[in-house]
């Protein structure tokens, strides 16, 4: 009941979705995912489970479409020098790291 109130959806409709009596629209899946504060990968899984195509892409930083993102991250890391910095993905894998240059 509390969840339905927070989502501004009737408790009856939430119950119908839970029991499979009603099929959620794509917009409803996205709204519920937002209210549950799921990450993008989990939102994609919810959409797939409901029979919809994924909305968010999952591309590697080396992909051609991510060149601008990679360039921005590299610029940010270079501006962060002389301090070490790391970039993690949504699953907390370290993707880029920059260590302070050794001074002798």
């Amino acid at each position: 009941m509390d969840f339905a109130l927070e989502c501004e959806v009737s408790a009856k409709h939430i119950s119908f979705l839970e029991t499979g009596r009603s099929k959620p629209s794509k917009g409803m899946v996205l709204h519920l995912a937002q209210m549950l504060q799921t990450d993008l990968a989990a939102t994609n899984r919810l959409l797939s489970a409901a029979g919809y195509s994924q909305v968010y892409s999952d591309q590697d930083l080396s992909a051609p479409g991510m060149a601008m993102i990679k360039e921005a991250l590299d610029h940010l890391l270079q501006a962060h020098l002389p301090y070490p910095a790391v970039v993690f993905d949504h699953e907390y894998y370290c993707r880029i790291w920059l260590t302070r240059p050794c001074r002798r």
Side-chain angles (χ1 to χ4, degrees):
M1 181 75 154
D2 292 336
F3 180 67
L5 289 173
E6 287 180 37
C7 293
E8 298 179 358
V9 177
S10 73
K12 184 176 181 179
H13 187 57
I14 295 290
S15 175
F16 278 21
L17 294 174
E18 289 173 337
T19 60
R21 270 183 84 180
S22 180
K23 183 178 190 263
S25 67
K26 189 173 190 174
M28 178 59 74
V29 174
L30 290 171
H31 177 66
L32 294 176
Q34 181 182 14
M35 295 306 297
L36 291 169
Q37 298 177 351
T38 61
D39 62 9
L40 300 181
T43 300
N44 277 340
R45 287 192 299 274
L46 287 172
L47 286 165
S48 294
Y52 297 107
S53 61
Q54 297 182 355
V55 174
Y56 304 105
S57 66
D58 186 17
Q59 294 182 350
D60 190 60
L61 277 175
S62 60
M66 297 294 285
M68 286 179 49
I69 303 297
K70 174 86 166 83
E71 185 180 327
L73 289 171
D74 288 340
H75 178 75
L76 182 68
L77 292 176
Q78 290 299 321
H80 198 262
L81 281 173
Y83 304 103
V86 294
V87 174
F88 294 97
D89 67 7
H90 65 285
E91 294 178 337
Y92 299 104
Y93 289 107
C94 185
R95 296 298 176 193
I96 305 173
W97 59 90
L98 187 63
T99 57
R100 184 175 54 186
C102 297
R103 295 188 184 171
R104 295 178 189 219

